[in-house]
Amino acid sequence: MTRRGAGRHSSWPVALLVCAVCLVVLSATPVGAALLQRVRGADPAPVVTITKGPAPSDPPVSVGPAAVVAASTLPDLLAVRPETTTPPYRRDLFEHWIDADRDGCNTRSEVLIEESTTPVTITGRCRISGGTWVSPMDGTVAFEPGDIEIDHHVPLAEAWRSGASAWSDARRRAFANDLDVPYALVASSTMANQSKGDKDPGRWLPTNGAYVCEYVTAWALVKYRWSLAVDEREQTALRANLSGACGDHLVTLPPVM
């Protein structure tokens, strides 16, 4: 018995050969490979793409999520452009301190609880007592919460000039209350916090020399996390301090917001 339509498939070997060649060519391109992965039901591995430098001709630098890199490479992961002062900075556009998890303790209190070197007592509506805080900026020790300020590692005004002026209110609020990485907010002495003001590492560094490497590393990581730019002087300072033994230590890149 002759199967219906058998005579119509005499050209199949040639067609299959052509299709195989097409698949090889298609898979050789990034777009084609991604398309084939979609067809097969597997999504491409996620990547974080960061624009490197100000020149349009520079290719983007891509790193995998939670990548571990040498600290010396951090300046190359940040966009470089002049700071903007238009529109003028407004601190009230960065809502803080908030109680994001509604446990009665706002962001300031959460940092105080986390960074106390001795157990704290919490009473009433998050009234904190019994703690001890050491300001990493200058080594000052405080025993009362009122004697400690919570420093935005990258100051709000600096963030504004580096890209936050174009953000939504919700994104600015998230930046101002970022508790998801341990270095975005730091318990600091009033003297150190006021001395730092809104200066970047090109104009100010902690008086505690043992903390400078950690300080500059954290600065670069916060800027990376929030896709904030650096100006040329700032990048030069980051490169200078993230060199030698400091630049050799490995850091884990935070999630990009």
Side-chain angles (χ1 to χ4, degrees), residues 71 208-218 241-242 245-247 249:
N208 177 13
Y211 182 63
V212 169
C213 177
E214 183 177 343
Y215 176 83
V216 176
T217 300
N241 286 282
L242 294 174
C246 179
H249 77 272

Side-chain angles (χ1 to χ4, degrees), residues 190-221:
T190 298
M191 182 176 295
N193 199 30
Q194 291 182 354
S195 173
K196 172 187 173 182
D198 63 352
K199 304 179 187 73
D200 65 40
R203 297 188 295 156
W204 189 90
L205 290 172
T207 57
N208 177 13
Y211 182 63
V212 169
C213 177
E214 183 177 343
Y215 176 83
V216 176
T217 300
W219 180 282
L221 288 174

Side-chain angles (χ1 to χ4, degrees), residues 211-246:
Y211 182 63
V212 169
C213 177
E214 183 177 343
Y215 176 83
V216 176
T217 300
W219 180 282
L221 288 174
V222 171
K223 287 237 164 170
Y224 168 88
R225 173 169 167 77
W226 291 92
S227 301
L228 292 170
V230 295
D231 59 33
E232 291 185 358
R233 178 178 59 184
E234 184 181 351
Q235 186 189 51
T236 298
L238 292 177
R239 288 188 188 281
N241 286 282
L242 294 174
S243 61
C246 179

Side-chain angles (χ1 to χ4, degrees), residues 7-91:
R8 294 200 301 269
H9 300 296
S10 59
S11 60
W12 274 30
V14 175
L16 289 173
L17 178 61
V18 172
C19 288
V21 173
C22 291
L23 288 173
V24 171
V25 173
L26 183 63
S27 64
T29 67
V31 174
L35 179 60
L36 288 176
Q37 285 180 311
R38 291 283 185 180
V39 172
R40 292 167 183 157
D43 290 337
V47 296
V48 178
T49 302
I50 311 95
T51 302
K52 175 187 175 184
S57 59
D58 284 349
V61 177
S62 296
V63 294
V68 176
V69 301
S72 61
T73 66
L74 292 176
D76 293 325
L77 301 181
L78 305 174
V80 182
R81 62 174 179 265
E83 293 184 347
T84 178
T85 56
T86 304
Y89 164 63
R90 286 178 52 190
R91 184 178 178 84

Side-chain angles (χ1 to χ4, degrees), residues 94-109:
F94 292 84
E95 181 188 355
H96 66 290
W97 305 108
I98 64 171
D99 181 6
D101 58 7
R102 300 184 180 181
D103 66 349
C105 294
N106 64 18
T107 303
R108 170 183 164 79
S109 296

